Amino acid sequence: MEKLYKVVFSLLLLLFTNSLLSQSVEEDIKKLVNLTVDMGMIYEVKELVRYEENEQVKKKFLGEYEKAVVLFYNAYIEFYISKYTHAEIKEMIAFYETPTGKKFANDLLLLSSNSFPKGKEWSKQLIEIKEKLKK
Amino acid sequence: MKISTLFLLLFFINLHGQSNSEKTVSKLMDVMNIEQHIKVTRENCVMWVVPSQEVEYLKSFDATVPVFKNNFRQYYLSNYTQEEMNELLKFYESPLGRKITGNSGTLLELSVKAEEIWDDASLEVIYSYIYK
């Protein structure tokens, strides 16, 4: 009987530790996403209820909003967990938090949304081509 | 004679410095997977073009690429110091950095997918709020 208790206890401890570890990896991935992905569009939606006076409506909206945010993060969590170890994720965070890493990450953000200083000109050029073809 | 030698020496030092920076920027462009970025943008843009105009559109698109690359190069040359670029290269040439570069194409495609996921999910949230 005592043996059984020990096995159950060890299993529970293992499950608990695993759950803590995976939570911590997920939190770090979210941190990495916040450093390297343009989150502007995510925050903009939240602004919708900034002046909402009905607390119940606001609460309901924020609840649904959080679920949508989770879906967004999950796409990245799945990617990073399948490609990198937790130590590598931590190393990336450390790099993107240095002044040069931060500067570079910001340029990467602008590049991916095509709002890079010179990318803006490029986007404009591409729109002009489309307009020209319409005529 | 001495002055002209000095000028010549300064000219070569400057030339060497420039070519070093340009080499670093070229490496950075590889690290940032600019080619993949252009490829994804090309594929996304052509989706919105009428099939009969696709060839003409792609021809015009491809003509803008060298200008974009040059502008990009100039941006890094004027906004990053050699020290900063070296720091970036040091990270991206490490085993982890190489892994990041190797996965950057997949990550770029994922970012487009994640944006679509967000657009769909957030639209539902907005609609249910507006028509509450």
Side-chain angles (χ1 to χ4, degrees):
Chain A
M1 194 65 179
E2 198 184 325
K3 212 174 179 180
L4 184 71
Y5 278 136
K6 273 183 185 169
V7 171
V8 171
F9 179 74
S10 307
L11 271 173
L12 284 175
L13 193 68
L14 192 71
L15 281 172
F16 179 69
T17 319
N18 267 345
S19 133
L20 275 185
L21 278 176
S22 76
Q23 263 180 20
S24 144
V25 179
E26 287 181 10
E27 285 312 308
D28 279 338
I29 294 174
K30 283 182 190 170
K31 200 171 174 185
L32 182 62
V33 170
N34 291 342
L35 285 167
T36 55
V37 175
D38 185 2
M39 299 296 285
M41 56 179 184
I42 311 281
Y43 303 138
E44 269 170 24
V45 175
K46 201 175 184 178
E47 286 297 297
L48 263 179
V49 285
R50 181 188 259 221
Y51 303 108
E52 175 62 60
E53 286 170 356
N54 186 330
E55 279 305 315
Q56 239 180 342
V57 172
K58 193 173 182 173
K59 201 177 164 190
K60 191 183 168 220
F61 174 90
L62 290 177
E64 295 300 315
Y65 168 84
E66 286 306 327
K67 281 184 204 163
V69 175
V70 167
L71 288 178
F72 175 78
Y73 277 124
N74 278 351
Y76 285 98
I77 288 172
E78 209 177 293
F79 168 80
Y80 279 108
I81 282 184
S82 68
K83 306 270 183 196
Y84 299 95
T85 64
H86 194 183
E88 287 173 330
I89 290 161
K90 280 181 181 291
E91 205 182 318
M92 280 190 245
I93 294 171
F95 171 70
Y96 290 120
E97 277 180 338
T98 64
T100 308
K102 224 179 242 178
K103 186 176 171 183
F104 187 66
N106 191 44
D107 281 337
L108 280 180
L109 287 184
L110 297 175
L111 181 72
S112 62
S113 56
N114 264 342
S115 46
F116 189 71
K118 294 292 179 180
K120 267 186 190 166
E121 281 174 29
W122 193 41
S123 291
K124 216 171 129 191
Q125 263 184 318
L126 298 179
I127 293 167
E128 277 169 9
I129 295 171
K130 268 187 215 166
E131 294 300 319
K132 211 171 140 189
L133 285 176
K134 273 185 195 167
K135 285 174 191 167
Chain B
M1 183 68 178
K2 274 181 185 172
I3 291 175
S4 62
T5 314
L6 187 68
F7 271 124
L8 207 62
L9 190 68
L10 283 173
F11 173 75
F12 280 114
I13 289 171
N14 188 33
L15 200 71
H16 178 72
Q18 266 183 0
S19 71
N20 253 355
S21 305
E22 283 185 12
K23 270 184 204 164
T24 319
V25 172
S26 297
K27 277 189 186 174
L28 263 182
M29 285 172 83
D30 288 341
V31 157
M32 291 170 82
N33 215 344
I34 293 303
E35 291 300 332
Q36 182 70 16
H37 174 74
I38 294 168
K39 193 178 156 231
V40 173
T41 307
R42 194 178 191 265
E43 283 164 5
N44 281 340
C45 283
V46 83
M47 280 197 308
W48 305 99
V49 174
V50 185
S52 61
Q53 292 181 333
E54 257 184 42
V55 177
E56 202 182 334
Y57 178 80
L58 289 176
K59 208 173 148 190
S60 306
F61 181 99
D62 292 342
T64 68
V65 171
V67 182
F68 170 72
K69 282 187 183 172
N70 188 46
N71 284 342
F72 189 89
R73 200 169 284 126
Q74 292 310 319
Y75 176 81
Y76 276 89
L77 283 172
S78 50
N79 287 286
Y80 283 74
T81 63
Q82 182 66 43
E83 202 183 322
E84 284 173 329
M85 288 197 275
N86 289 342
E87 213 180 307
L88 291 174
L89 277 182
K90 192 181 164 197
F91 176 74
Y92 280 99
E93 281 175 342
S94 69
L96 175 62
R98 287 181 195 277
K99 197 171 171 181
I100 294 171
T101 308
N103 288 328
S104 63
T106 321
L107 183 62
L108 199 62
E109 281 162 20
L110 170 77
S111 66
V112 175
K113 201 178 135 197
E115 209 171 302
E116 283 170 7
I117 291 173
W118 172 251
D119 285 345
D120 291 345
S122 62
L123 267 181
E124 256 183 61
V125 178
I126 295 168
Y127 277 142
S128 64
Y129 174 62
I130 293 173
Y131 301 110
K132 58 183 181 262

